[in-house]
Structure formats: C-alpha cells, structure tokens
Amino acid sequence: LAIAVSITGVASILFAGGLDAAVIRSHFQLIDDPPAQRRQARTVWMALMIAPLLVAFVLTAAATPLLSATHALSSVNLSLALLAAALNVAGTTVPFALLRSEQRVRQFVIIVITSALTTTLGTVTLVIILHLGVTAWLAAIVASNALTLLMAL
C-alpha cells in the first residue's frame, strides 16, 4: 500500500509539471483576449490528458518485467497507481487552476466534494466492507479520478 501511495503521489506531481501555476499566470496575462485564454487552457489541458496516460502506459510496460521478480508491487497495482495519478492530473490541474483564477468557488467546491465522497465511498465499500484489498483501493481512486475528469469537462 505504501509503495502504491508513494507512486501515485510522486507521479501526480511529475505529471502535472507545475503547469497549474502557468495556467493561472497565462489566464491573467491573456485577460484582454478571451479566445486566446480558452485556446491556451484547452491546449495545456489536452496535453495533460494525453501525456500522463502515455507515460503511465510506457512506465507500466517497462516495469512489468522487473516487477515479476518481486512481491512488493504487482504490475496491476503499478498500472492502477499510475492511471490514478494520470486521471488526477487530467481532471484537476487545468480545471482547478481555471476555477480558482476565475473565482468560480461553487463549481470548485462541488468537484472537490464529489471527488472526496466518491473516493471515500469506493474505498469503504471495496476495502472495508468487501475486503478486496489494495488493488480495490486503487481501483476506487481510479474511478473517483475518472469521475472528477468527467465533471471537469
């Protein structure tokens, strides 16, 4: 569990690449040109939807042969941890930066609360009630992050 949590956390930071601050900065730099604001945000968001998923796939493919020799982390759990990170970045980095810079607090709070509730409910259901373990916990996070992305679209 600790390894999967660490992988998800580090991958989320690396996948986002600090672009949330860049989105906020460019939002205000382009304040007089709304079409350019939208274009820039769409471009960064598209990159953050595609690139982390590709990196997650490549890392999983590269690490799978190495993981078969250890019991510390399965390739399924690695792929779920990286997918959770990729979906988290896709669903939060640009949308949250835009919602904050545009001061749309209500939408921001709705997405954050929904994400927290779905993660909690999924974890409680799959891990505590059904006793399905780490893989189920990671699957709950993937599902919650996918819902967050859908809500942000």
Side-chain angles (χ1 to χ4, degrees):
L1 177 62
I3 295 171
V5 169
S6 297
I7 289 170
T8 302
V10 170
S12 291
I13 292 167
L14 294 175
F15 288 166
L19 289 175
D20 53 340
V23 168
I24 292 171
R25 184 175 52 251
S26 67
H27 175 80
F28 288 108
Q29 287 175 339
L30 298 170
I31 199 80
D32 295 328
D33 190 356
Q37 278 180 323
R38 287 189 295 278
R39 197 171 40 255
Q40 186 273 342
R42 269 195 318 269
T43 301
V44 173
W45 197 8
M46 188 61 66
L48 287 177
M49 282 194 265
I50 296 170
L53 289 171
L54 291 174
V55 171
F57 176 76
V58 169
L59 288 176
T60 299
T64 296
L66 303 172
L67 292 174
S68 63
T70 181
H71 297 289
L73 183 71
S74 71
S75 59
V76 170
N77 287 351
L78 173 66
S79 65
L80 286 172
L82 291 172
L83 180 59
L87 289 171
N88 179 53
V89 167
T92 61
T93 302
V94 173
F96 283 10
L98 290 175
L99 291 173
R100 285 193 314 263
S101 61
E102 295 171 358
Q103 298 181 350
R104 294 189 294 169
V105 177
R106 185 171 187 260
Q107 289 174 303
F108 181 85
V109 169
I110 289 170
I111 292 173
V112 169
I113 289 174
T114 302
S115 177
L117 288 175
T118 56
T119 300
T120 303
L121 291 173
T123 300
V124 167
T125 302
L126 296 176
V127 178
I128 296 174
I129 295 172
L130 298 176
H131 305 287
L132 296 177
V134 174
T135 303
W137 174 75
L138 289 167
I141 292 173
V142 166
S144 175
N145 291 349
L147 178 64
T148 301
L149 174 60
L150 290 175
M151 288 182 66
L153 294 174

